[in-house]
Amino acid sequence: MSSVAIIGRPNVGKSTLFNRLVGKRLALVDDRPGVTRDRREGDADLIGMPFRVIDTAGFEDEDPDSLPGRMRVQTEAAVKECDVALFVIDARQGITPLDEEIARWLRVLGKPVIVLANKCEGKGGEAGLLEAYALGFGEPLPFSAEHGEGIVGLFQELRPFIEGSAVVAEQPSEDEDVEKTEEEVDLSPLQLAIVGRPNAGKSTLINRLIGSDRLITGPEAGITRDSIAIDWSWQGRPVRLVDTAGLRKKARVVDKMERLSVMDTFRTIDYAEVVVLLLDATQGLEGQDLRIADRVLEEGRSLIIAINKWDMVESPSAFLQAIRQGLDDGLAQVKGVPLITISALTGRGIDPLLKAAFETRKAWSRRVSTGQLNRWLIRAIAHHSPPAPGGKRIKLRYLTQIKTRPPTFVLFGTRVDQLPTSYERYLINSLRSDLGFGSVPIRLHFRAPDNPFD
């Protein structure tokens, strides 16, 4: 049986990854570094592909006679004996000198290496993911050992190194792989969070969706304190609904329990796939609604706006137009966010809301080939060329998508640091409209080649 060694500096999530792969809490996990000392092995089964996985101590540069030094000897032995190494980095902290030292050692060793950028959930890991390209092992894999995000990608990366021709022979072709992955995304439970100001009707909406009074509701604001997850299905498609505490203006949150509830809601947003921001039609669009929406988009989550209590609106057409205008003005970074009118009390608009949620997740999870992206880039530049500050042209050379959920791209070129924000908006808006990303948040990073004479 092939073996896979997990290596990395202390406290990057190696033991959490080990537990994830073996399917049980075999390795101790703690915030303190240095919990793992000896090698720990276990049998893993990743989407039907079996292998032996080895957890190792945090790689440290210490005297070989010291305890950390002896731990490092064990780590080195595990990597030398394995078929492939999973080099785990903490994407939220970025690349450290110790990460670079481990990379140099692995290159000398000559073992196949897959870089796993752990803790990539939410927005905080994007910079570290990009930095990981500099380690020299190709495209890093965004991952969350804590939440299991990136499992399919890890399977695809490990498969060429796992022994057993029968296992490999049974796998689909490359085109079928893409179809299977897309189908897997579509059929996996939709992580759907309902957020909004207090008393917008979040709990009432979830009760209406599931068809029972599962959650406490009432006229009092702030009934919900914890984020409550409920497994459900819509038209045979699995959904995990999460009710959350109402979000008031920050200045009004002084009670400790409410602060904890707010933090819990923010965590729910971070790990959701689609977030429904519920507005109260009797109160209209307020600044706090825009702040919540901005938080969702900043975290890279898909956003849908639902206007509740629509049956109480007296002039629907004018009201809807005013809400849309307010959203376009207040959310300049994303235009055309889906806007659904509903009534949590009567069930009006429920099916359009769920349909929009699944369609939005599909766009949020979409990956475009590098060839298609660069053909699009040529057309976009031909339609609207980059400016030439000081008479010197800005050259945009190459575009690639480095992750999905949210769609994230890196555009390489010269003098890209002088590219105006207006042109960046043009590129992002064109990506959305031309390549089918709709209103989901898009990340576009610019990179210039290193100058060896700097």
Side-chain angles (χ1 to χ4, degrees):
M1 181 179 292
S2 298
S3 61
V4 178
I6 304 172
I7 184 173
R9 58 185 175 82
N11 229 31
V12 294
K14 299 185 299 300
S15 294
T16 303
L17 172 61
F18 176 85
N19 288 341
R20 171 70 60 181
L21 293 176
V22 300
K24 58 188 71 174
R25 293 180 61 88
L26 292 182
L28 294 177
V29 178
D30 193 86
D31 291 336
R32 295 167 296 176
V35 173
T36 301
R37 291 182 173 175
D38 291 303
R39 286 182 281 173
R40 183 183 292 274
E41 299 185 13
D43 291 324
D45 190 306
L46 187 61
I47 318 181
M49 181 175 67
F51 57 93
R52 193 74 171 165
V53 61
I54 308 168
D55 188 22
T56 67
F59 197 99
E60 296 185 76
D61 186 13
E62 296 286 348
D63 185 337
D65 292 331
S66 66
L67 176 58
R70 297 196 302 273
M71 291 160 56
R72 174 169 171 166
V73 170
Q74 289 291 316
T75 297
E76 292 175 348
V79 176
K80 289 176 182 177
E81 295 170 6
C82 74
D83 296 289
V84 58
L86 290 179
F87 181 13
V88 182
I89 67 155
D90 186 334
R92 291 185 177 269
Q93 293 185 8
I95 301 302
T96 68
L98 184 53
D99 289 322
E100 294 171 348
E101 179 187 343
I102 298 171
R104 286 191 292 270
W105 178 74
L106 287 171
R107 282 195 293 271
V108 171
L109 194 63
K111 286 285 182 179
V113 175
I114 298 170
V115 176
L116 216 61
N118 194 27
K119 307 179 185 180
C120 261
E121 64 275 1
K123 183 183 176 183
E126 291 180 357
L129 177 65
L130 293 173
E131 290 177 14
Y133 278 87
L135 294 173
F137 297 110
E139 182 175 350
L141 179 66
F143 202 83
S144 171
E146 181 71 21
H147 301 280
E149 296 179 10
I151 289 293
V152 173
L154 180 58
F155 168 83
Q156 293 170 340
E157 291 293 325
L158 282 175
R159 188 177 61 180
F161 305 106
I162 302 302
E163 293 177 352
S165 58
V167 174
V168 176
E170 290 173 0
Q171 302 306 321
S173 67
E174 182 177 347
D175 290 340
E176 291 173 334
D177 250 355
V178 174
E179 293 177 1
K180 179 180 179 181
T181 301
E182 290 177 351
E183 180 182 353
E184 196 166 82
V185 168
D186 192 47
L187 295 179
S188 63
L190 171 66
Q191 306 293 325
L192 184 64
I194 314 295
V195 304
R197 288 182 281 123
N199 247 24
K202 300 181 292 299
S203 299
T204 303
L205 172 58
I206 291 182
N207 284 346
R208 169 58 62 176
L209 288 171
I210 64 178
S212 67
D213 293 332
R214 168 65 174 79
L215 302 171
I216 301 174
T217 60
E220 305 88 355
I223 291 178
T224 302
R225 286 181 168 177
D226 299 313
S227 295
I228 307 297
I230 300 172
D231 292 323
W232 176 66
S233 65
W234 175 73
Q235 297 184 357
R237 307 173 77 176
V239 180
R240 166 156 279 210
L241 297 165
V242 187
D243 188 25
T244 63
L247 296 173
R248 298 197 299 164
K249 292 181 180 179
K250 187 176 180 180
R252 296 181 180 176
V253 180
V254 295
D255 178 70
K256 179 182 178 181
M257 180 58 70
E258 187 174 1
R259 287 199 301 269
L260 293 174
S261 296
V262 169
M263 291 172 60
D264 201 29
T265 297
F266 286 160
R267 281 193 294 270
T268 298
I269 291 173
D270 293 347
Y271 300 122
E273 294 177 325
V274 179
V275 176
V276 173
L277 172 56
L278 200 61
L279 307 184
D280 186 338
T282 64
Q283 299 184 27
L285 181 69
E286 296 188 358
Q288 177 66 356
D289 298 315
L290 294 175
R291 283 187 284 271
I292 297 171
D294 188 67
R295 169 74 184 229
V296 172
L297 295 173
E298 283 296 315
E299 284 297 327
R301 307 300 97 179
S302 300
L303 176 65
I304 294 175
I305 309 290
I307 310 176
N308 191 25
K309 308 178 186 179
W310 191 249
D311 48 328
M312 302 177 68
V313 175
E314 294 183 357
S315 302
S317 179
F319 186 84
L320 188 62
Q321 184 177 356
I323 294 290
R324 170 57 71 189
Q325 186 62 51
L327 291 172
D328 288 343
D329 293 342
L331 301 176
Q333 71 272 44
V334 174
K335 299 290 185 182
V337 172
L339 185 60
I340 314 293
T341 58
I342 69 168
S343 170
L345 198 60
T346 66
R348 179 193 189 278
I350 295 300
D351 285 343
L353 176 63
L354 270 297
K355 181 180 178 182
F358 276 99
E359 290 175 349
T360 300
R361 182 179 69 165
K362 186 174 182 180
W364 186 63
S365 307
R366 187 162 188 257
R367 180 176 288 277
V368 180
S369 70
T370 299
Q372 185 179 356
L373 284 173
N374 284 281
R375 288 190 293 271
W376 167 85
L377 181 62
I378 292 172
R379 294 194 301 270
I381 294 173
H383 183 263
H384 181 16
S385 299
K392 296 182 179 179
R393 291 180 56 197
I394 296 175
K395 296 182 180 180
L396 305 180
R397 300 185 181 279
Y398 179 78
L399 180 66
T400 185
Q401 184 174 0
I402 61 171
K403 62 171 288 190
T404 61
R405 305 159 66 91
T408 304
F409 305 87
V410 175
L411 179 55
F412 296 88
T414 57
R415 305 180 71 238
V416 292
D417 58 322
Q418 299 184 36
L419 203 64
T421 303
S422 59
Y423 196 82
E424 179 181 351
R425 284 198 301 267
Y426 160 71
L427 292 174
I428 291 176
N429 290 334
S430 298
L431 270 171
R432 284 201 183 95
S433 60
D434 297 346
L435 298 179
F437 287 104
S439 62
V440 301
I442 284 179
R443 305 280 187 253
L444 180 58
H445 303 281
F446 297 91
R447 292 290 181 271
D450 294 334
N451 186 346
F453 301 102
D454 280 349

